[in-house]
Amino acid sequence: MAFDPVFHNFNDFVSVMSMWHYQTDIWETIEKNNRPHPFIMAWLYHYCPVAAYHYLVGIVPQKPFDPVWLAMSDYVNGGKMVDYLKKYGFDPLLEDVKRYIQAVSAYRQETMIENAEMYPTFRGGAIPPERRYGVGNAIDAFGGNVRNLFLYARTWTFLITGWRDAMRLPGNAELKLVDVEIKISTKIPAIKYPFWVWRTQEETIPCVLGSYDYEDWIRSGLLKLASVAMGASRAYILDPFSTRILRVGGLDTGDYRLVIEQLQQMAYSGPYSPNNIFSRRFLCEKCAFYRYCFIGDSLSPSIINFSELKGKFRFSG
């Protein structure tokens, strides 16, 4: 990957480029709502039908480590990044983090690219194995990969302030993580979803993490409905890779409701095909149901014979 010290292959690069696919908001939403929740069923079926199947049989998601989500959560709780890193056991690597931040700033200035540190040409963020002595447990807690330490520092130092500046908010604007209940239709119970919310004296701005280049239809719909519920005049998708923001527009609530209801019915009845495995396997590595689809690097028997999963559930919506 880019931080250790460079991308070793194109798949690594694609994986980092797609860091918004951690899907942490899905796993958080599952924890906050009763199951089986019709909206979550629809959302998971849209994401991956097999994930919807695992949810239906009652499997508890095992959330993968998400350095962006953790950094933002710590930021909203207040305090300094260095104190959190000490708490996590990274005292011996604080100077490495400082050098990484300096290297990012210098490389951005040199290239005039806002997210230059995410590309293969960036050589910062390397930590030799001998420098990692004594921080093995801390690295394990950070997903077992030292690059997550730098993604954490990047989020705290560059992403959050960059997003705030892009929205033209004052320096004292507050970022909060707020659970908002969203009502989709009379057939679907309200869903409690965690929004990243910027607040100033003049306005409240709900946000979600996502891609600037690929607007996730379900998240965008939630964001637009939250804007109405919160009386917000604007709302954004925040892109952790490019650092850019995407302002969402209006929403045809009738179409959104209709599609969600249809996805819900499909989720209950199947078929349950492992769509991401066929074309976007890097997404599987960040799925909370990964261990139920793979044995090591190989597909589990139930996934190889995924057609047998069809029709095992016939819930009424």
Side-chain angles (χ1 to χ4, degrees):
M1 303 298 287
F3 311 112
D4 205 15
V6 294
F7 294 103
H8 299 301
N9 56 59
F10 181 73
N11 287 333
D12 283 346
F13 182 51
V14 170
S15 181
V16 169
M17 285 185 66
S18 306
M19 61 191 300
W20 54 86
H21 289 299
Y22 274 104
Q23 312 293 339
T24 301
D25 56 345
I26 295 183
W27 322 130
E28 292 285 334
T29 302
I30 288 175
E31 293 178 355
K32 297 175 186 297
N33 295 272
N34 295 328
R35 68 159 78 202
H37 193 288
F39 181 83
I40 294 176
M41 288 305 310
W43 191 1
L44 286 174
Y45 198 81
H46 165 73
Y47 166 60
C48 177
V50 170
Y53 172 85
H54 290 322
Y55 174 74
L56 264 177
V57 300
I59 292 176
V60 178
Q62 304 296 312
K63 292 186 293 186
F65 180 80
D66 184 344
V68 175
W69 193 278
L70 177 63
M72 295 179 68
S73 299
D74 289 344
Y75 180 92
V76 302
N77 287 332
K80 298 180 179 180
M81 181 181 70
V82 65
D83 293 327
Y84 282 101
L85 292 179
K86 290 179 179 179
K87 183 184 74 171
Y88 295 136
F90 286 111
D91 305 57
L93 299 183
L94 292 180
E95 285 300 315
D96 297 89
V97 172
K98 182 178 179 180
R99 283 193 292 270
Y100 165 77
I101 292 172
Q102 293 170 341
V104 171
S105 298
Y107 198 60
R108 286 187 173 194
Q109 186 173 6
E110 175 187 343
T111 60
M112 302 300 291
I113 300 174
E114 197 167 17
N115 64 331
E117 70 279 0
M118 301 302 288
Y119 288 87
T121 50
F122 177 66
R123 302 283 171 164
I127 298 181
E130 62 271 16
R131 291 275 300 121
R132 304 178 192 183
Y133 181 78
V135 294
N137 290 337
I139 293 174
D140 288 343
F142 262 52
N145 197 318
V146 71
R147 70 173 178 267
N148 286 328
L149 169 62
F150 296 109
L151 288 172
Y152 176 94
R154 174 182 182 264
T155 302
W156 190 296
T157 308
F158 299 103
L159 290 187
I160 296 174
T161 55
W163 289 329
R164 183 194 64 205
D165 294 343
M167 285 183 273
R168 301 183 183 277
L169 296 176
N172 62 354
E174 288 188 324
L175 178 64
K176 298 293 183 183
L177 183 59
V178 181
D179 291 338
V180 180
E181 284 200 355
I182 304 296
K183 184 66 177 177
I184 307 243
S185 77
T186 56
K187 296 182 179 180
I188 298 178
I191 185 79
K192 185 181 292 183
Y193 177 88
F195 289 92
W196 298 102
V197 178
W198 287 96
R199 286 177 175 160
T200 68
Q201 291 183 344
E202 292 76 26
E203 60 181 336
T204 297
I205 306 172
C207 301
V208 299
L209 297 179
S211 168
Y212 180 89
D213 298 308
Y214 171 71
E215 183 175 351
D216 185 290
W217 193 78
I218 288 188
R219 285 184 177 85
S220 295
L222 282 173
L223 189 54
K224 295 165 187 176
L225 290 170
S227 299
V228 175
M230 302 172 71
S233 59
R234 52 180 175 147
Y236 293 93
I237 294 173
L238 311 177
D239 188 336
F241 173 74
S242 72
T243 75
R244 294 183 291 179
I245 61 174
L246 177 64
R247 186 168 181 171
V248 300
L251 172 70
D252 188 327
T253 55
D255 288 349
Y256 188 73
R257 179 170 58 249
L258 179 62
V259 171
I260 293 298
E261 290 174 356
Q262 291 180 88
L263 282 171
Q264 167 204 350
Q265 291 297 330
M266 294 176 67
Y268 284 138
S269 61
Y272 303 105
S273 57
N275 294 348
N276 289 333
I277 289 175
F278 299 139
S279 60
R280 301 184 298 173
R281 183 164 172 172
F282 62 89
L283 297 183
C284 299
E285 298 174 2
K286 299 169 185 176
C287 178
F289 298 113
Y290 178 87
R291 67 176 62 184
Y292 301 100
C293 295
F294 293 86
I295 300 176
D297 292 327
S298 302
L299 295 178
S300 68
S302 64
I303 298 302
I304 294 174
N305 302 300
F306 67 88
S307 61
E308 298 179 4
L309 302 178
K310 180 180 179 180
K312 290 190 175 182
F313 300 94
R314 298 293 179 184
F315 293 91
S316 58

